[in-house]
DNA sequence: TGTGGTACTCACCAATTGGTAAGCATTGAA
DNA sequence: TTCAATGCTTACCAATTGGTGAGTACCACA
């Protein structure tokens, strides 16, 4: 996770919660509804099992996602957004729109500068 | 910086741009107007010179900040937001508000769980 | 008796990131 | 002649993060 220093501002705090390598993507996936662990893994191309679970645990600790275990065999675990998680996702949506808009340019610029 | 893989969604792209350790804070500081290097350093408690400049370079490469050098002695360099940077900052503001709202709880929860 | 499916957990190693401290160039002022 | 101020850059090391692959527990089912 991160350091326990006092936050400098709201951005600082929000970034600390959502800044993990896969957290934005996890949140976005859960936006569409609850998901089993395996479903999430399949929806996030490239995530390792270790990472996925670690990030989910951190989000859970921050009160963003809710983890529900069904005592079945084989085991079933479902993740969903808490109320706070829904709020966070809403707050993320302008950022998402910005990303959509600028994604092609950014990608192209990085390709270009890495060739130089 | 990060990998040159294609982005999965807008959040993915935006996080790639703004996810650096100090970038959110730099953006927030520049929101209030142009800043000299030394001013930024003093406004971000704990940042090292190396990190500050590295993050500024990356933001510049992504077209978020503009760097202007005045040929004086001692040298003067000023950073300001580009149009794209202003847009990004606007998109960040709901996130900032969310952070403000939840910052005390999050901080407290992390303190608690780290004691456990 | 053995295999499959699910959600983890762990140990180990490699890659990335961050911190520290020093150095450089320039020129006006002491 | 030496120093301070400013914005960088570099080398080196430590800490953090991420990937891989194996192992665990459980029970249904063949």
């Amino acid at each position: 996770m991160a350091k326990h220093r006092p936050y400098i501002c709201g951005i600082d705090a929000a970034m600390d919660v959502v800044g993990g390598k896969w957290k934005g993507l996890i949140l976005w996936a859960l936006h569409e509804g609850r998901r089993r662990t395996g479903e999430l893994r399949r929806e996030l191309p490239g995530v390792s099992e270790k990472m996925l679970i670690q990030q989910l645990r951190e989000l859970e600790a921050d009160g963003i996602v809710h983890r529900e275990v069904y005592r079945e065999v084989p085991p079933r675990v479902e993740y969903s957004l808490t109320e706070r998680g829904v709020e966070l996702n809403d707050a993320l949506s302008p950022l998402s729109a910005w990303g959509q808009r600028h994604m092609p340019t950014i990608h192209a610029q990085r390709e270009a500068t890495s060739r130089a």
Side-chain angles (χ1 to χ4, degrees), chain A:
Chain A
M1 195 93 77
K3 319 97 255 292
H4 293 288
R5 44 135 198 203
Y7 294 122
I8 295 167
C9 69
I11 287 290
D12 195 17
M15 280 299 160
D16 200 24
V17 169
V18 92
K21 192 176 183 192
W22 298 98
K23 291 183 183 173
L25 266 10
I26 291 174
L27 254 19
W28 217 240
L30 290 180
H31 194 222
E32 291 160 30
R34 48 177 43 225
R35 290 280 187 281
R36 299 186 55 168
T37 315
E39 291 176 323
L40 281 175
R41 199 179 47 232
R42 284 184 290 272
E43 286 184 34
L44 307 190
V47 73
S48 71
E49 193 144 5
K50 180 181 112 175
M51 271 293 105
L52 176 62
I53 287 166
Q54 182 180 309
Q55 305 275 298
L56 283 167
R57 289 282 185 283
E58 294 182 4
L59 289 170
E60 193 192 357
D62 284 333
I64 308 297
V65 309
H66 170 72
R67 176 168 181 267
E68 187 143 12
V69 182
Y70 296 84
R71 314 201 115 282
E72 304 172 357
V73 168
R76 181 159 64 104
V77 177
E78 287 188 352
Y79 294 92
S80 53
L81 293 177
T82 61
E83 195 177 333
R84 183 188 282 185
V86 173
E87 278 181 42
L88 176 56
N89 236 338
D90 291 345
L92 239 23
S93 95
L95 193 61
S96 168
W98 182 93
Q100 289 273 357
R101 258 200 320 282
H102 295 279
M103 154 182 347
T105 329
I106 290 169
H107 190 73
Q109 279 177 345
R110 296 206 173 175
E111 291 285 310
T113 54
S114 71
R115 263 199 305 275

